[in-house]
């Protein structure tokens, strides 16, 4: 989630269902030869120029070989940057979906895991995870946040997941270098829906597996933010419509139910309270605060806080008690907490937290503070100091990666975060009803070996960790609770910008894939 609900992941963003058109993109309707369907570069089955203008065509796949020299090991791998074409049920080309694959040299492809990685938004490219968390190269995101005008070079990523899994980073339509081939708005509308998006990415995954001869490989999916909606639905689509089994899901800072972040119910206050309390405590224990330190805040959120919320403002004593306890836990001025009855939306909290200092907290990382450009205004009109600085650094790094290291240079700009995609997204009749918990139930029930890892940052106000905890607690046991794990690290939405948090996430992902 990025600011204006347009941002990276799912935060206040218009997060991602028109079921009917989705089937058209899941069918194998194009050329009978699968290699043609998965080919890179905009060609139709007659090898004639596609419907897209010449200057908008993607170049052929580029395959390069690399050695990644790390402090304790050297990884030799092959990288392939290119695109997979999507056709409609009439065999007409619709879109080219860009994907970057990294495969370790010398490994047995039938037994080696492969993980498909994407971000959220909707409208976010995969560069956030690839260059921040688990790709072969990364930028120093913590330094980028502190010094947004200083270029951040690509550097070897000691926490890459390439040791234990091959990686395929997918940029959904309208992000990265992915683009429409068909003309007109109708085709685009099919992709910019919850189910249309899921069907398209699931088909891209299957086509990649076919093209790379990796259908027998153990398969995993990793998604961030809106990826918490997208990931489980793609896994279900792969299993039920594409004949592809997925062994596990890794959801990073996910939204599992939009009602937790976009709804108007009382539970949104319960979900965000521990992260707001962590923001206050993190001022004195920055970098060392752990979830264990939040046990009292979580217990209060589940117990007395919820009880007093339900009593409502009709009960003056309960309201005053709640407001004062909220102020004590979060550091908010008591008078302001009483004025709002202890019921703080995220935007209200972000401004109230350091009102005396004229600063606002980040939405994606509330431990990061920035100046409020209009501190005397009654309106909340400010950027996110924890996210804005990353936009320039990641965009530059993504271009450098493709042009210099991967030798793949499409015309046009790399879309790190597309406002157009987010603005055009069709969530169906009720955006806050979009959820993936039902898909997670089906995945766990269908396969006793399926495993789920959910990872969050303590200071994330866009997708608070406690919202996921409450949702996961509602699941049946499904044989063993060990199949589901929630981990919480110091940091915000992109907690992997912290070295120790990134290292810990890597260890958890590796354990999941054993």
């Amino acid at each position: 989630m990025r600011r204006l609900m347009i941002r990276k992941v799912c935060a206040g963003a218009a997060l991602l269902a028109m079921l009917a058109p989705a089937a058209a993109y899941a069918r194998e309707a194009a050329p009978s030869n699968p290699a043609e369907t998965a080919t890179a570069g905009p060609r139709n089955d007659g090898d004639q120029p596609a419907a897209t203008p010449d200057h908008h065509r993607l170049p052929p796949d580029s395959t390069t070989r690399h050695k990644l020299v790390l402090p304790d090991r050297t990884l030799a791998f092959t990288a392939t940057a290119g695109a997979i074409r999507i056709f409609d049920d009439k065999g007409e080309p619709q879109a080219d979906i860009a994907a970057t694959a990294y495969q370790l040299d010398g490994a047995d492809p039938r037994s080696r895991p492969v993980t498909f990685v994407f971000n959220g938004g909707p409208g976010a490219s995969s560069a956030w995870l690839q260059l921040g968390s688990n790709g072969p190269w990364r930028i120093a995101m913590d330094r980028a946040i502190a010094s947004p005008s200083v270029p951040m070079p690509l550097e070897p990523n000691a926490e890459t997941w390439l040791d234990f899994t091959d990686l395929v980073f997918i940029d959904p339509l309208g992000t990265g270098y992915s683009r429409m081939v068909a003309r007109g708005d109708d085709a685009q509308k099919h992709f910019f829906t919850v189910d249309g998006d899921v069907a398209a990415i699931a088909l891209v995954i299957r086509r990649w597996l076919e093209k790379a001869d990796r259908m027998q490989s153990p398969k995993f999916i990793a998604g961030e933010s809106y990826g918490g909606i997208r990931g489980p639905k793609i896994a279900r689509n792969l299993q039920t419509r594409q004949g592809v089994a997925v062994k596990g899901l890794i959801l990073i800072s996910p939204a599992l139910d939009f009602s937790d972040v976009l709804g108007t119910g009382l539970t949104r206050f319960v979900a965000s309270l521990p992260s707001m309390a962590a923001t206050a405590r993190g001022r004195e224990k920055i970098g060392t605060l752990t979830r264990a330190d939040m046990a009292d805040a979580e217990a209060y959120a589940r117990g007395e806080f919820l009880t007093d919320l339900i009593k409502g403002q009709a009960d003056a004593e309960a309201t005053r008690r709640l407001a004062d306890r909220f102020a004590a836990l979060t550091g908010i001025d008591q008078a302001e907490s009483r004025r709002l009855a202890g019921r703080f939306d995220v935007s209200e909290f972000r401004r109230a937290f350091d009102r005396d200092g004229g600063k606002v907290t980040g939405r994606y990382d509330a431990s990061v503070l920035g100046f409020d450009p209009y501190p005397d205004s009654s309106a909340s009109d400010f950027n996110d100091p924890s996210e804005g600085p990353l936009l320039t650094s990641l965009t530059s790094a993504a271009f450098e990666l493709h042009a210099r290291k991967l030798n793949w240079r499409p015309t046009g700009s790399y879309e790190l975060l597309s406002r157009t995609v987010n603005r055009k997204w069709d969530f169906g009749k009720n955006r806050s009803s979009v959820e993936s918990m039902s898909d997670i139930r089906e995945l766990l029930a269908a396969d006793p070996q399926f495993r789920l890892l959910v990872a969050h940052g303590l200071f994330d106000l866009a997708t608070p960790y406690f919202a996921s905890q409450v949702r996961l607690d509602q699941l049946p046991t499904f044989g063993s609770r060990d199949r589901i794990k929630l981990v919480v690290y110091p940091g915000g939405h992109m907690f992997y910008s912290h070295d120790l948090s990134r290292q810990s996430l890597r260890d958890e992902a590796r354990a999941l894939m054993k």
Side-chain angles (χ1 to χ4, degrees), residues 117-187:
V117 187
F118 40 76
N119 279 76
S125 71
S126 64
W128 299 87
L129 284 176
Q130 178 172 184
L131 299 177
S133 175
N134 49 27
W137 300 280
R138 59 178 288 268
I139 65 168
M141 295 179 75
D142 53 347
R143 298 203 304 271
I145 292 173
S147 304
S149 61
V150 177
M152 291 294 129
L154 289 171
E155 56 189 47
N157 181 14
E159 289 75 49
T160 181
W161 296 4
L162 195 55
D163 297 76
F164 52 89
T165 178
D166 290 336
L167 297 162
V168 182
F169 294 91
I170 299 173
D171 290 327
L173 181 65
T175 75
Y177 288 120
S178 297
R179 56 193 58 173
M180 288 297 302
V181 174
R183 294 177 178 176
D185 294 334
D186 289 344

Side-chain angles (χ1 to χ4, degrees), residues 313-396:
Q313 297 187 55
D315 189 325
E317 181 180 350
T319 299
R320 184 167 51 253
R321 179 171 59 240
L322 182 153
D324 290 352
R325 183 70 182 277
F326 180 88
L329 282 171
T330 63
I332 296 294
D333 178 73
Q334 185 185 66
E336 185 158 9
S337 185
R338 286 188 175 185
R339 181 177 65 84
L340 293 177
R343 294 157 169 82
F344 279 74
D345 285 325
V346 168
S347 60
E348 293 166 335
F349 174 84
R350 291 178 61 198
R351 204 175 198 195
F353 182 73
D354 191 37
R355 190 181 297 277
D356 290 343
K359 292 185 177 181
V360 296
T361 78
R363 178 183 180 88
Y364 294 99
D365 189 340
S367 70
V368 177
L369 299 180
F371 285 106
D372 185 345
Y374 303 103
D376 300 325
S377 173
S378 59
S380 297
D381 186 14
F382 45 81
N383 292 319
D384 187 336
S386 66
E387 180 245 12
L390 292 174
L391 300 179
T392 54
S393 297
L394 282 171
T395 299
S396 298

Side-chain angles (χ1 to χ4, degrees), residues 195-405:
D195 293 324
D197 166 77
V198 165
I201 297 177
L203 184 56
V204 166
I205 290 174
R206 183 180 126 191
R207 291 303 192 205
W208 187 91
L209 289 167
E210 292 171 338
K211 186 178 181 182
D213 195 18
R214 298 295 298 271
M215 288 292 284
Q216 294 295 322
S217 300
K219 305 162 195 73
F220 295 85
I221 287 176
E224 183 182 20
S225 197
Y226 179 80
I229 300 293
R230 181 181 268 157
K233 292 183 180 297
I234 288 173
R236 282 283 291 156
N237 184 290
L238 285 168
Q239 293 186 351
T240 61
R241 300 191 183 186
Q242 303 295 338
V244 175
V246 176
K247 291 196 66 174
L249 273 173
I250 301 170
L251 302 180
I252 300 167
S253 303
L256 302 177
D257 192 313
F258 275 9
S259 65
D260 294 330
V261 293
L262 298 180
T264 58
L266 295 178
T267 56
R268 75 187 193 280
F269 298 119
V270 175
S272 61
L273 175 59
S275 290
M276 292 177 178
T279 301
R281 296 178 183 183
R283 277 188 149 179
E284 297 183 357
K285 298 184 65 175
I286 189 68
T288 62
L289 191 74
T290 68
R291 186 182 180 184
D293 297 318
M294 305 311 302
D296 62 322
E298 293 181 18
Y300 173 63
R302 287 183 185 272
E304 296 175 30
F305 182 74
L306 180 58
T307 300
D308 285 344
L309 270 179
I310 293 173
K311 289 178 179 178
Q313 297 187 55
D315 189 325
E317 181 180 350
T319 299
R320 184 167 51 253
R321 179 171 59 240
L322 182 153
D324 290 352
R325 183 70 182 277
F326 180 88
L329 282 171
T330 63
I332 296 294
D333 178 73
Q334 185 185 66
E336 185 158 9
S337 185
R338 286 188 175 185
R339 181 177 65 84
L340 293 177
R343 294 157 169 82
F344 279 74
D345 285 325
V346 168
S347 60
E348 293 166 335
F349 174 84
R350 291 178 61 198
R351 204 175 198 195
F353 182 73
D354 191 37
R355 190 181 297 277
D356 290 343
K359 292 185 177 181
V360 296
T361 78
R363 178 183 180 88
Y364 294 99
D365 189 340
S367 70
V368 177
L369 299 180
F371 285 106
D372 185 345
Y374 303 103
D376 300 325
S377 173
S378 59
S380 297
D381 186 14
F382 45 81
N383 292 319
D384 187 336
S386 66
E387 180 245 12
L390 292 174
L391 300 179
T392 54
S393 297
L394 282 171
T395 299
S396 298
F399 174 82
E400 186 75 7
L401 171 71
H402 287 89
R404 308 296 182 196
K405 292 190 178 296

